[in-house]
Amino acid sequence: NAGVMQNPRHLVRRRGQEARLRCSPMKGHSHVYWYRQLPEEGLKFMVYLQKENIIDESGMPKERFSAEFPKEGPSILRIQQVVRGDSAAYFCASSPPGQGVYGYTFGSGTRLTVV
Amino acid sequence: TQLLEQSPQFLSIQEGENLTVYCNSSSVFSSLQWYRQEPGEGPVLLVTVVTGGEVKKLKRLTFQFGDARKDSSLHITAAQPGDTGLYLCAGPTTGNQFYFGTGTSLTVIP
């Protein structure tokens, strides 16, 4: 019974490259949330998705960042033209429908380093 | 923005000691969650408290939700090295997201 799976665990990108972060939710969970954790800062909400729908992207930077959760396959967080300030740990979480208010199951995260 | 302030920011204690960490806000939350995060891993949900004044126990951990639902505390009895980690509180905001505090980093020294 796998938990939330994120890959890669570590990702190094040069400035200007694209970063793609993947998240497979727990079995039976159809809601996915992406959070970013910067050093010495708390987890910050980025986006909430259901299958084929972006429900809330109020925490997502307007430029260079996008997210999707297709009908088949994992959720993808995409960062175009990365800059040093994008270096952070990116966490995906999932919940069953209607259960997100009780807390999430998080993945182990992807640590993005921009050099 | 609903702000969750956690204190202390850092705590280092000897194995066997007791400790309490706090999560405070000026806003009312419908519920609060506590997570523990170990280095290099994602946060793990420990408990959700929903009712004002509620007390929940998880082995040596005792969680309390304030009567006014603006604050919460986590008390650990007889701390062990395995309790080491970053303790985060989180509360739901309007919509579908959680606001997380910046955490208390706990180190239990054997």
Side-chain angles (χ1 to χ4, degrees):
Chain A
N1 184 19
V4 178
M5 304 302 292
Q6 288 189 250
N7 67 82
R9 289 292 302 270
H10 300 275
L11 183 61
V12 179
R13 283 287 177 266
R14 295 185 184 279
R15 281 179 295 171
Q17 290 185 321
E18 178 180 286
R20 285 194 177 219
L21 288 60
R22 296 175 187 78
C23 169
S24 296
M26 281 188 70
K27 188 175 182 180
H29 289 192
S30 57
H31 294 206
V32 166
Y33 313 79
W34 285 93
Y35 281 73
R36 177 166 63 176
Q37 188 173 38
L38 291 163
E40 299 185 2
E41 290 189 23
L43 285 153
K44 305 291 186 189
F45 170 81
M46 299 182 74
V47 62
Y48 162 44
L49 310 103
Q50 297 175 15
K51 286 280 188 182
E52 299 184 283
N53 276 311
I54 297 175
I55 306 302
D56 181 353
E57 57 181 350
S58 59
M60 194 101 92
K62 299 294 182 208
E63 297 179 353
R64 302 187 298 105
F65 285 73
S66 63
E68 63 177 5
F69 190 14
K71 186 177 180 180
E72 301 291 338
S75 175
I76 306 287
L77 179 66
R78 182 183 179 202
I79 311 172
Q80 295 178 291
Q81 299 175 323
V82 296
V83 300
R84 289 230 171 101
D86 297 333
S87 294
Y90 291 82
F91 292 97
C92 169
S94 70
S95 75
Q99 298 298 306
V101 293
Y102 298 110
Y104 302 143
T105 300
F106 278 93
S108 296
T110 293
R111 278 134 190 94
L112 172 65
T113 302
V114 180
V115 297
Chain B
T1 302
Q2 295 169 307
L3 186 65
L4 283 168
E5 295 187 354
Q6 291 190 245
S7 61
Q9 188 176 357
F10 298 96
L11 186 57
S12 181
I13 62 169
Q14 295 289 331
E15 182 176 0
E17 293 183 348
N18 301 333
L19 66 115
T20 302
V21 299
Y22 301 92
C23 173
N24 295 298
S25 176
S26 57
S27 301
V28 175
F29 284 90
S30 58
S31 66
L32 280 178
Q33 288 79 38
W34 284 92
Y35 292 81
R36 180 170 65 214
Q37 184 179 19
E38 297 184 10
E41 296 297 329
V44 175
L45 179 65
L46 297 174
V47 77
T48 299
V49 286
V50 178
T51 306
E54 181 177 7
V55 176
K56 281 191 174 179
K57 292 194 174 186
L58 186 66
K59 296 184 180 178
R60 293 175 295 99
L61 279 60
T62 302
F63 303 86
Q64 184 162 9
F65 199 13
D67 291 341
R69 296 186 317 197
K70 292 183 178 181
D71 56 86
S72 181
S73 63
L74 159 59
H75 181 80
I76 301 179
T77 304
Q80 299 177 1
D83 296 327
T84 293
L86 179 67
Y87 288 83
L88 297 162
C89 65
T93 67
T94 54
N96 302 284
Q97 54 181 282
F98 280 83
Y99 186 87
F100 280 79
T102 51
T104 292
S105 179
L106 171 66
T107 302
V108 181
I109 302 166

